[in-house]
Structures are given as C-alpha cells and as structure tokens.
Amino acid sequence: MEELVVGIDLCDSYTQVCCAEEEAVWTIPTVICRHKTAEEWFVGEDAYAHNLKGDGVIVDKLVKLVRKDGTATLGGIRYGARELLSLFLERALEAPKRELGAGRISQLVVTVNNMEPRLMEALYAFGQRLGLDREHTHIISHSESFLYYILSQKKEIWNGTVGMFDLSAEKLRYYEMRVQRGLKKTTVLADCEDLDEGFNLDILNTVSGGRLADKILCSCASRLMQKKTYSSVFLTGKGFENRDWAEEFMKYLCTKRRVYMESAIFSRGAAYRAADCSQERTSYPFTIICEGRLKHTVSMTVLHKGQEMSVVLAGAGESWYDRVAAVDVIPDQQDTVDLSVTPLDVKKRRQVSIPLEGFPKRPPRTTKVRVQVSFLDDRTMDVRIQDRGFGELFPASEVQIRQEVML
C-alpha cells in the first residue's frame, strides 16, 4: 500500500486534510463524540449526527481544550485533552487513507494559528502515536503554510508583495508576504495581524449585516493596502465561500490587482511543506522569516587556534521551538559572556553581556563554562551558563546562571 505525505490545518472550528500531489481536500468539523454505551468514537458530521440522535456525548473546541490542559468526561470516563485530540486526528485521517489506498503516513505537517508549546507537544505525541519520529513530524504556523503555498505557485504571483485576508469563524486576520533578494540568498518574510474589526459570520445571513461586513472590510483593506503594489491578493476562510455580500470590498481589491480565492491555503501549504521534507534537497532555497521562526541570528565571538571566529548558536529563519545549541568556552581575562544578536537589518546588531556572577575564583584559563541557548518563543531567548570546572584540578561546581533575553 502507498504511504501518504500529509498536511493538516487544525483549527477549533474545522480541520482540513490535504495530501501531497492530490487535489482532494477533506474538511471535518473539529468535534469528537463517544457513544453513550459502547466505546465507539465519531468525528465531524457523524459526531453531530449521533449527538442529535441522543446516543452520543460530544466535545468540541479541542484545540482550546489542549491549550488549557483540560479534560472531558464521556461515558463516565475522564479523558485528557491530548488523548481526545489524538483520537480525533486518527479518525480524521481515515477517509484520506481509505480513499487513496494508503496504509501509513510517512511525513506529517500540522499547521496551527498559534504555536503554543502545550499544543505543539500534543501534536508531536500524536505523530509518535502514528509511528513517526520528530524528523517526520513538523508543526508550523499559518504564516509559514501561507508562505509555502504562495511559493509553490507561478513566480509572477509572488515576485512582489502578496496580501491575504482570512475570514474564519474564529477571527479576521491579514497576512502579507514580501521577498527580499540579496547577493547570497533570497529572504522571504511574512507578517500577520489579527484585526480588531473581526465579526461573527452570522451577520452575513442578513442584507444589512452583509452591508456592514462589506464596509468593515473596505475600511481594513484601505488602511492596510494603500500605497503598496501587490503582485497578488488571496482570500481564504469560511466567510469568503460566498462573496455576494462583499461587493465594494471585491471592487476595491480587484482594481489593478490579481485576486484569487482558495479555501484550503493552509492545508495545501502544509502538504507542500511535507512533500519538501521528503526530498533530499529543498525546493525552497530561501531564508524564511515568519511566525514560528527566528528573526535574529545569535552568535558568539571566540578564539580558536589563535584565530578569532564567530560561532552561530541560532540563525534567522530557524524554528525557535526545536533550536537548542551549546558551546563550551574558557573565559580569558573576562567576567562576562558576550552574545551578538543580529536582526535582518545588521545595522541594528546589539551585544548582550551576561556577568559570570557567583562562579568559583580560579587562576586564569582554568574555568570552562557551557553556554546553552534555547527559546521560549520567537522573541524570547533562554540563556543558561554552567560551570564545567577544569579537569581533575578544578571539579565542576553546581553554579548555573539563567537569563531570559528579549530579542
């Protein structure tokens, strides 16, 4: 049987599954239901049907439940949020497996709109449940899946600024992608913004509500897009499935711009990313800067074999969640560890000095320290400096310094 390369867009209202090189997209409401008397599970529309019939108990908003580490009691049994999410995702994948004749999944990318550590750990645990290791399970932001989708299109679509409005049941969000071409490497950047003007999609059911929504989006577009030149603009989300209500908004967008509607941008982008992970060499040779990836390079200047050199501990464009780096150094006539934090604009490079307070007093060059760098999110670096001693002459102590650095 074939193996599947899968991208999943996981949201509280719906989940979309897309497989590489396949046109079909499976959309399932993110709900799970357990039969009241038998240990049978149903998801999506089947879950709603059994709940309406009265023989099942339903749980929705599974993403939110995982983020708050919640539980739900079904059939007299308490289930943790992580287990419920795994049960849901396993069943959400049954239809693609069955219809495509696949036995297992070889590469999985899940895209979410908020890369919260508790949710990410739950998704990595789900990957393990499928028999996948960390190298074959990836969690990316909606911004990153948006980038992968756009970069997989014809170049004329993304050779300039690309904008996108996402109108979903959860929120109204605007994305923007830019390409910066350098001498050595091209950098692709994406920003996203949750718009305060978001509204409940129910207002689109009335003529007056549709007019109000149209006016709101026109105001947002005018504020966000004026004085910019776009190579393309995309629309996604349930709110844009029917655009009859958005007459003025569409008229504004379509004036001297190419506008596209795609309902599965995030799941398709995740599938493109999954397919790329399956290759020995990437088809996207860019530095990618977006939510979930670092926007700064962190380095340290050291003396090695008589020559001064820079050791990069974390590079711009790397995933902050997976990045942990450590280097052992011997301070020479200095009582600080100095790190360079360099944003994309190298002129704004700054130095971070962390005092070696509380370290044992020893003769010069007889103290080795380990400098470890990890990240709490894409803006917060966690630096740990540990005394490693110096061989048998000076055993290591338990002294450790920890400092959070805002990037």
Side-chain angles (χ1 to χ4, degrees):
M1 298 182 79
E2 289 188 10
E3 294 183 339
L4 289 184
V5 175
V6 176
I8 297 178
D9 175 22
L10 176 64
C11 301
D12 259 332
S13 57
Y14 68 88
T15 293
Q16 288 187 325
V17 180
C18 183
C19 301
E21 299 182 358
E22 298 290 337
E23 283 298 316
V25 176
W26 291 264
T27 301
I28 311 118
T30 309
V31 294
I32 189 168
C33 173
R34 185 188 188 275
H35 197 279
K36 285 185 176 180
T37 57
E39 194 171 355
E40 289 184 74
W41 296 91
F42 310 95
V43 299
E45 298 296 344
D46 288 342
Y48 284 130
H50 280 274
N51 184 58
L52 189 62
K53 187 179 177 183
D55 63 3
V57 182
I58 202 167
V59 181
D60 60 2
K61 292 184 170 50
L62 297 177
V63 176
K64 184 178 181 180
L65 195 67
V66 170
R67 284 178 175 150
K68 66 179 184 180
D69 198 23
T71 60
T73 301
L74 305 173
I77 302 173
R78 179 179 290 181
Y79 294 91
R82 287 172 59 151
E83 183 177 4
L84 289 173
L85 181 63
S86 289
L87 287 168
F88 167 78
L89 289 172
E90 281 181 339
R91 282 151 183 80
L93 289 170
E94 285 177 357
K97 281 184 174 182
R98 182 176 61 252
E99 292 178 31
L100 298 176
R104 64 182 298 272
I105 292 169
S106 62
Q107 197 78 234
L108 174 67
V109 173
V110 183
T111 180
V112 293
N113 65 13
N114 188 342
M115 296 185 70
E116 193 270 333
R118 186 174 284 162
L119 175 61
M120 296 174 73
E121 280 302 317
L123 292 171
Y124 280 122
F126 170 66
Q128 289 181 323
R129 189 163 170 157
L130 293 179
L132 301 174
D133 55 27
R134 283 282 185 116
E135 290 184 0
H136 296 88
T137 305
H138 306 271
I139 320 299
I140 64 175
S141 66
H142 273 178
S143 296
E144 185 164 342
S145 53
F146 162 61
L147 283 183
Y148 272 92
Y149 177 85
I150 299 300
L151 292 172
S152 301
Q153 309 308 308
K154 295 178 180 179
K155 196 168 183 179
E156 57 262 29
I157 286 178
W158 54 269
N159 59 4
T161 299
V162 180
M164 183 175 78
F165 288 90
D166 175 21
L167 180 55
S168 67
E170 284 95 1
K171 63 183 66 176
L172 171 62
R173 179 178 271 195
Y174 174 71
Y175 295 81
E176 192 168 281
M177 170 185 144
R178 304 178 305 282
V179 178
Q180 293 182 354
R181 292 174 175 82
L183 294 176
K184 294 183 178 179
K185 201 166 189 179
T186 298
T187 300
V188 184
L189 305 95
D191 298 313
C192 65
E193 178 184 350
D194 291 333
L195 303 180
D196 295 334
E197 298 92 337
F199 48 84
N200 191 309
L201 298 185
D202 288 342
I203 74 169
L204 302 179
N205 296 330
T206 65
V207 174
S208 60
R211 289 198 192 106
L212 175 60
D214 193 13
K215 186 176 180 180
I216 288 171
L217 283 182
C218 282
S219 176
C220 290
S222 177
R223 172 173 59 85
L224 294 164
M225 304 174 71
Q226 62 179 334
K227 299 180 181 179
K228 295 179 184 177
T229 302
Y230 289 81
S231 55
S232 58
V233 178
F234 284 79
L235 302 176
T236 193
K238 185 174 179 59
F240 288 126
E241 288 179 355
N242 178 356
R243 297 172 295 285
D244 292 344
W245 58 271
E247 184 177 347
E248 293 302 317
F249 174 64
M250 294 303 298
K251 189 183 299 183
Y252 178 86
L253 289 187
C254 294
T255 302
K256 298 181 180 180
R257 301 184 187 96
R258 286 178 289 189
V259 179
Y260 303 90
M261 174 66 201
E262 172 55 69
S263 61
I265 279 182
F266 300 127
S267 58
R268 290 193 188 280
Y272 285 129
R273 172 82 154 85
D276 194 57
C277 291
S278 305
Q279 308 301 317
E280 291 185 6
R281 187 173 181 179
T282 182
S283 299
Y284 307 87
F286 314 111
T287 298
I288 292 177
I289 306 294
C290 61
E291 183 185 359
R293 296 207 183 201
L294 295 171
K295 299 174 179 63
H296 300 74
T297 295
V298 180
S299 60
M300 187 175 182
T301 301
V302 300
L303 199 65
H304 180 66
K305 295 182 179 180
Q307 290 189 330
E308 195 173 87
M309 61 182 293
S310 179
V311 176
V312 175
L313 298 174
E318 294 180 331
S319 168
W320 66 263
Y321 188 79
D322 298 322
R323 187 58 182 170
V324 179
V327 60
D328 289 343
V329 296
I330 300 174
D332 185 12
Q333 297 181 349
Q334 67 182 75
D335 54 7
T336 62
V337 166
D338 301 323
L339 301 174
S340 291
V341 177
T342 309
L344 294 179
D345 183 355
V346 296
K347 295 177 182 177
K348 295 182 179 180
R349 177 190 290 127
R350 63 189 176 94
Q351 189 104 323
V352 175
S353 295
I354 302 175
L356 297 175
E357 296 175 345
F359 273 59
K361 299 295 182 183
R362 301 185 181 119
R365 299 186 184 181
T366 58
T367 294
K368 181 185 291 185
V369 300
R370 172 159 293 174
V371 181
Q372 178 178 296
V373 167
S374 59
F375 298 87
L376 305 179
D377 53 44
D378 57 4
R379 299 179 184 87
T380 312
M381 177 170 63
D382 182 26
V383 183
R384 303 187 187 210
I385 304 174
Q386 181 182 5
D387 174 39
R388 303 282 289 171
F390 198 81
E392 295 180 359
L393 290 175
F394 301 100
S397 70
E398 296 183 357
V399 175
Q400 178 175 285
I401 296 170
R402 180 182 178 187
Q403 184 167 319
E404 291 183 13
V405 178
M406 298 303 296
L407 300 175

